[in-house]
Every structure is written in C-alpha cells, then in structure tokens.
Amino acid sequence: MSKKYILAIDQGTTGTTTALVDLEGNMFASSYKEIGQFYPEPGWVEHDPYEILESVYECIKETLVSSDVFAKDIVSIGITNQRETTVIWERETGDIIHKAIVWQCRRTSPICQQLIGTPEGERITKITGLSIDPYFSATKVKWILDVVPGAYEKAKQGKLAFGTIDSWLIWNMTGGMNHVTDVTTVSYTHLTLPTKA
C-alpha cells in the first residue's frame, strides 16, 4: 500500500502556498506563487479569481512533482483562505461577473453608513454579532449586483453563485459539483437568513 498524504492550500491576499504532509505531519514539499493586486480607485482592492485558481493549480502541480507524489495518494485537502473576499460567478458557465472584491476594500463604506443606526443594521448586528463594516462580504455582494447589468435578475433566477475564495476554489476543483464553505467562513459573510416580520 502506497503512503498517503494531506495537501494544504493557503490562498492568501498576496499569494498562494501549497504544502504536502504525511499522516504523521511531516512536510515533504511546498510551493508558492504570488498573485496580482488591482487598485481601480483609492481604497479599492480587487483580485482576478481566474489568476487565483491558476495559482492554486500551479502550486499543486509543483508540489506533487517536486515530492514525486501522485494525486491518488492524497487522502484529504485542507483550504485556508482570505475569508471575506467576495466572488460571484455564473452557475452554468463558471464565468465570473466581476473581479473579486478583496476583504480590505473600502468601496462599500457608503452602503454601510446607510445601514448603521437603522433597524435593519441593528438586526444584522444582533444576528451575526458583527458590526456593520465593508470588511464583511454582504455589502460587497450588493455592490456587485448593483453595478453589473442584469446581475440582480440573474440572482433572482438562481443563475449566480456567491462565494468566498474557498467556495470558488472548491466549486472549480470539483467541476461545479460542490458549492460549499465552512461555518467559520460563512459566519464572516455578514449574511443573515430572512426572518418573518
């Protein structure tokens, strides 16, 4: 029986790192690739989700080749990521509708200011335990839906998918079969479930 490994993916704000460890925690190989930052306006920060995905694939390949390990010998993959960075894509094609809005981007400050002190803002804070701030994903989602023509209609029809970087990676790595995240990441999206009045 061949030796088994765990692949760790750390997709961060400035780059992607992968590491291969055995089941005892010994590291065999790692790889790193820097990703680009885009600053379309002061205080705005974006990433290219396709570049992020490609950086992950390249790092995985380099890690496996340098360690002489086959993909079939990986029993688990763990992902850590820049948790509030927001991506929206077409469910049918996988095409993004806008560059990813990065966690530290401040473009949604006006949306947040409109919510602060309102019953809706107070309800969001009560449910999520988080203050109203552009740091979280929800106002980024609203901003993208506001500026991309036809996006709201597609969202209402269920044609769009939202996710943080882990969701985007898993969706692509599973051929669109899994649209998931974990509870710690989703808790930082600032999204709440609808409640009855």
Side-chain angles (χ1 to χ4, degrees):
M1 182 173 161
S2 60
K3 191 167 184 174
K4 300 300 178 185
Y5 301 87
I6 298 169
L7 179 69
I9 300 170
D10 180 356
Q11 203 304 295
T13 308
T14 58
T16 298
T17 302
T18 56
L20 193 69
V21 298
D22 66 15
L23 301 186
E24 288 74 47
N26 302 305
M27 190 162 80
F28 281 78
S30 66
S31 180
Y32 175 78
K33 182 167 180 57
E34 194 171 290
I35 60 169
Q37 318 287 314
F38 302 92
Y39 305 96
E41 292 190 26
W44 292 25
V45 190
E46 296 178 347
H47 284 160
D48 180 347
Y50 300 125
E51 181 188 11
I52 288 174
L53 183 62
E54 187 61 30
S55 74
V56 170
Y57 288 151
E58 288 179 13
C59 284
I60 291 172
K61 181 178 179 181
E62 287 176 9
T63 300
L64 293 179
V65 168
S66 66
S67 61
D68 202 26
V69 168
F70 295 101
K72 67 180 179 62
D73 296 321
I74 297 173
V75 294
S76 182
I77 298 175
I79 299 176
T80 184
N81 73 122
Q82 39 173 322
R83 302 195 309 175
E84 295 80 17
T85 296
T86 299
V87 186
I88 299 179
W89 64 93
E90 303 261 4
R91 288 186 181 277
E92 188 174 329
T93 63
D95 294 337
I96 60 165
I97 68 168
H98 192 277
K99 277 193 171 72
I101 301 179
V102 180
W103 58 271
Q104 76 262 49
C105 183
R106 305 303 290 177
R107 77 184 64 191
T108 66
S109 292
I111 299 171
C112 292
Q113 287 303 314
Q114 291 173 359
L115 280 170
I116 292 171
T118 67
E120 182 64 14
E122 290 172 5
R123 185 179 76 86
I124 291 169
T125 296
K126 182 178 179 183
I127 291 171
T128 65
L130 304 170
S131 60
I132 305 294
D133 193 279
Y135 179 74
F136 306 112
S137 303
T139 57
K140 295 177 175 66
V141 171
K142 176 177 171 31
W143 190 93
I144 293 172
L145 294 179
D146 282 346
V147 302
V148 176
Y152 264 116
E153 192 56 40
K154 286 183 178 180
K156 289 177 184 176
Q157 295 168 359
K159 293 182 177 179
L160 300 180
F162 150 71
T164 47
I165 295 300
D166 59 334
S167 300
W168 166 249
L169 295 176
I170 294 168
W171 192 87
N172 280 281
M173 293 171 75
T174 62
M177 296 295 292
N178 294 289
H179 183 199
V180 297
T181 187
D182 79 319
V183 68
T184 63
T185 300
V186 80
S187 70
Y188 267 65
T189 62
H190 226 191
L191 296 170
T192 63
L193 295 174
T195 56
K196 294 181 180 177

